Amino acid sequence: MEYRLAMFDLNGTLLDDVGVIYGGVSSVFKKYRVEPPTLREMRMAEHIDHEWYRQHGFPKNVTDKEIIDAFNEAVPAYSHLRKIRKDALSVIKGCRQRKMKVVMVSALNTPLMTLVMKGMGLRPYFDDVRGSAGDKYEAFLEMMEKFGTPPEKTFYVGDSVIDVRSSKRAGITAIAFLSGYSLPELLIAQKPDFMIKSLSELLKILKERGRE
């Protein structure tokens, strides 16, 4: 049985931009004169939100909006480190050739996600996009309802622990990308349905699925 809805994460999955995000996060901490976490500590996070900042010593009186605004202001200085993974577009095209709807679901705040996708020329490749998806489970349900696709014909490719957990909770195929943000051992511990180190490996999974 073939898939009908392909969903992807943006940062760390389709984009190789760990340096960009870490640069932005570090700049936010420095702006408020707090020692930033190490790159490894960031990669150990299940989700980078205001609570995560505060767990690492961030002032409690700083609002969520101020954190997001500071991050958005800092990121452009590191944008030269961002690049589309070399096999990303060929994989998306491969999904389309198999008559799938292709969707982007990202936790990145919508204004910045929109700007990044436009700058990288990615928006035309997707049937729909969803940013600020702190709870990806809800976003998955919305997309499946919109495109009339059942969980068993839907998959999500993501690089974080919460990506795998949300996928499994929604009953869709959880595909963990081991070359992104979260440390591989953390993703493996979540027991995803599939694990890939390169996006091109997804095409092999789709080929095998088509034979079932």
Side-chain angles (χ1 to χ4, degrees):
M1 181 171 56
E2 294 189 353
Y3 292 107
R4 287 289 172 258
L5 179 58
M7 298 193 290
F8 294 89
D9 177 45
L10 180 61
N11 306 104
T13 302
L14 294 180
L15 296 183
D16 181 357
D17 61 350
V18 174
V20 179
I21 301 300
Y22 182 63
V25 168
S26 296
S27 294
V28 174
F29 277 89
K30 292 175 182 178
K31 178 177 181 177
Y32 290 93
R33 300 185 179 183
V34 179
E35 183 70 21
T38 64
L39 175 58
R40 181 177 176 82
E41 287 175 324
M42 187 188 81
R43 295 187 68 202
M44 291 178 66
E46 292 186 8
H47 182 57
I48 298 178
D49 56 9
H50 64 280
E51 289 299 330
W52 180 81
Y53 277 92
R54 287 167 187 142
Q55 287 170 6
H56 287 81
F58 214 75
K60 294 183 178 180
N61 63 328
V62 180
T63 67
D64 297 355
K65 184 178 184 302
E66 288 173 325
I67 292 174
I68 292 174
D69 288 346
F71 179 79
N72 288 356
E73 290 172 5
V75 162
Y78 303 93
S79 60
H80 62 285
L81 300 174
R82 181 189 297 120
K83 58 184 178 181
I84 301 173
R85 293 195 185 277
K86 62 181 181 180
D87 48 1
L89 297 185
S90 62
V91 168
I92 293 172
K93 291 176 182 177
C95 291
R96 287 200 168 280
Q97 289 172 357
R98 289 169 170 79
K99 311 298 183 184
M100 297 181 203
K101 294 296 184 181
V102 182
V103 170
M104 172 73 67
V105 176
S106 173
L108 187 65
N109 65 84
T110 300
L112 184 55
M113 183 200 71
T114 302
L115 185 65
V116 169
M117 291 191 72
K118 182 179 179 180
M120 304 297 284
L122 286 172
R123 184 60 183 88
Y125 291 92
F126 296 91
D127 294 290
D128 202 352
V129 297
R130 170 74 183 276
S132 300
D135 186 350
K136 291 189 177 181
Y137 166 74
E138 294 294 338
F140 295 161
L141 297 185
E142 290 174 12
M143 290 300 178
M144 285 190 286
E145 181 178 3
K146 178 174 181 177
F147 293 105
T149 309
E152 62 269 20
K153 292 188 177 182
T154 304
F155 68 79
Y156 185 72
V157 183
D159 65 330
S160 73
V161 168
I162 198 141
D163 289 343
V164 177
R165 286 181 179 171
S166 298
S167 297
K168 295 176 76 171
R169 182 183 173 197
I172 67 178
T173 300
I175 303 176
F177 182 66
L178 303 182
S179 302
Y181 286 105
S182 290
L183 297 174
E185 54 265 36
L186 299 181
L187 292 170
I188 293 170
Q190 297 302 311
K191 298 181 179 179
D193 297 296
F194 297 98
M195 294 177 284
I196 59 176
K197 293 183 178 179
S198 68
L199 293 173
S200 58
E201 292 176 45
L202 175 61
L203 297 179
K204 298 177 182 178
I205 294 172
L206 299 181
K207 185 176 181 180
E208 289 299 320
R209 176 78 175 215
R211 293 173 179 171
E212 295 179 0

